[in-house]
Amino acid sequence: MLTGIQIAFVGGDARQLEVIQKLSELDAAVRLMGFDNLQHPLGGVVKTAFSPEGFSQADAVILPAVGSDDSGKVESIFTSEELVLTDDHIAALPKHAKVYTGMAKAYLKSICANHAITLIELFERDDVAIYNSIPTAEGAIMMAIQNTDFTIHGSQSMVLGIGRTGLTLARTLQGLGAKVKTGVRKPEHYARAAEMGFTPFYLRDLQEHAAGVDLLFNTIPAMVVTAQIIANIPHRALIIDLASKPGGTDFRFAEKRGVKALLAPGLPGIVAPKTAGRIIAQTLAELLQEDERNGRNP
Ligand code: NAP
């Protein structure tokens, strides 16, 4: 249980509702900042102004999936008020407090570091990334269906990178009856892909393998789908780039050549906010309870 633990939520989207519910069920004292438009706050949850004073009692601050932008702006679908997280907010936190987010930009990292406040990026955790790969793969499949006039079954699909997202996606495509090629750079990934029944190839040979592709999914956060590769893929092909912005595709050249290429960020929050929220909620609940057991929170 989280009895007596003060938690401040700042902004967010539908995912945050799952987190609020879970932590409130665990008896944390939850204060919501930037939730003016939330019609039915949960019982026992208090809405409060977004101010440094509001942070002064917090044991934990929970920010949205992308903590803030590089000027401190925190996104919220629950208010029209502009929420800007400043150095003053972080300075007001008790020294033992922790700030939790999905991923942090340099600004947030820097203001937390300035005051020696621990910042935890949940999406960096393997367990969260693996669970998140499920709605991500489903979202990628949804986009493929919406943007093609052929079935995934029987298609020549390609997944670049078989990390946490790529592996789930490749397996899901295979389950739908696609012929799946996977582009990797390490022999152990090549071996794993072969063991799982994919057709592996090394990324250095991408140009040659791209020639017959119908669906190309990239999960590598580096420029891999270059103009040279795009020049070699059929016009009917669809590129879906899942890697974090700016993706790993030369979108300018794809447009010029008339090959459809889509950058698809934030799919879990778009296609399955409830599931994505539960993934965050479960992990946060475990982390906060572990802190509580270890006596790090007073
Ligand atoms: P991951 O587990 O680290 O996998 C990344 C894969 O890319 C690994 O197989 C890695 O292989 C490969 N890779 C990285 N840099 C490379 C390079 N320069 N050249 C060749 N291969 C390289 O990461 P993940 O969790 O699957 O996430 C992948 C990307 O998707 C990230 O950018 C993440 O932010 C994004 N993402 C997007 C969504 C969405 O909704 N669109 C959802 C979740 C994640 P090695 O082991 O050889 O390095």
Side-chain angles (χ1 to χ4, degrees):
M1 297 298 283
L2 295 171
T3 308
I5 300 298
Q6 304 264 353
I7 300 181
F9 280 84
V10 183
D13 55 29
R15 286 174 277 189
Q16 216 64 321
L17 300 178
E18 293 297 319
V19 186
I20 293 165
Q21 182 170 354
K22 174 85 182 174
L23 301 188
S24 171
E25 280 167 11
L26 289 168
D27 201 28
V30 173
R31 295 161 77 86
L32 306 183
M33 302 177 185
F35 285 79
D36 332 356
N37 301 339
L38 182 63
Q39 296 299 323
H40 306 290
L42 298 154
V45 168
V46 179
K47 285 192 206 174
T48 178
F50 175 54
S51 66
E53 296 74 55
F55 274 37
S56 64
Q57 303 289 315
D59 299 303
V61 175
I62 316 249
L63 297 172
V66 178
S68 78
D69 71 8
D70 268 326
S71 58
K73 187 168 177 260
V74 179
E75 290 294 333
S76 177
I77 62 162
F78 304 107
T79 183
S80 45
E81 181 195 351
E82 177 148 290
L83 304 171
V84 180
L85 188 72
T86 65
D87 199 71
D88 291 345
H89 289 98
I90 302 298
L93 284 169
K95 282 297 164 217
H96 70 270
K98 291 183 181 173
V99 174
Y100 296 88
T101 184
M103 62 182 100
K105 303 218 173 193
Y107 174 89
L108 179 59
K109 288 182 182 169
S110 139
I111 57 173
C112 287
N114 285 348
H115 300 283
I117 292 291
T118 305
L119 172 67
I120 296 183
E121 294 181 80
L122 297 170
F123 294 171
E124 283 201 340
R125 292 173 55 96
D126 256 347
D127 54 352
V128 174
I130 291 168
Y131 285 126
N132 256 337
S133 73
I134 302 166
T136 305
E138 289 189 12
I141 300 284
M142 176 194 78
M143 291 187 73
I145 292 171
Q146 284 174 339
N147 287 282
T148 52
D149 55 7
F150 51 83
T151 57
I152 290 175
H153 184 278
S155 70
Q156 182 60 71
S157 293
M158 179 180 282
V159 179
L160 303 181
I162 54 163
R164 297 162 302 190
T165 306
L167 204 53
T168 304
L169 178 57
R171 204 176 41 71
T172 309
L173 289 163
Q174 189 182 49
L176 286 170
K179 290 169 262 172
V180 184
K181 285 188 173 186
T182 53
V184 300
R185 63 175 172 181
K186 290 182 179 152
E188 59 268 37
H189 288 170
Y190 191 103
R192 176 59 68 199
E195 175 275 323
M196 291 185 73
F198 309 134
T199 305
F201 66 91
Y202 284 109
L203 285 160
R204 60 175 176 264
D205 301 324
L206 174 56
Q207 191 174 352
E208 161 196 334
H209 286 273
V213 74
D214 298 311
L215 293 167
L216 193 164
F217 298 90
N218 176 49
T219 75
I220 300 175
M223 180 50 72
V224 278
V225 189
T226 58
Q228 214 181 1
I229 303 299
I230 295 167
N232 217 35
I233 73 173
H235 277 101
R236 65 168 189 277
L238 171 68
I239 301 171
I240 298 181
D241 199 327
L242 302 170
S244 51
K245 283 181 191 167
T249 301
D250 187 336
F251 288 98
R252 187 202 58 83
F253 187 76
E255 191 175 357
K256 187 172 169 195
R257 189 160 180 264
V259 171
K260 197 165 192 179
L262 307 169
L263 183 63
L267 288 172
I270 297 168
V271 299
K274 207 172 183 74
T275 306
R278 282 186 184 154
I279 293 167
I280 298 168
Q282 187 57 36
T283 308
L284 263 174
E286 280 163 21
L287 291 176
L288 290 165
Q289 288 182 105
E290 194 182 312
D291 272 359
E292 181 65 350
R293 278 193 297 277
N294 294 338
R296 271 176 265 157
N297 283 327

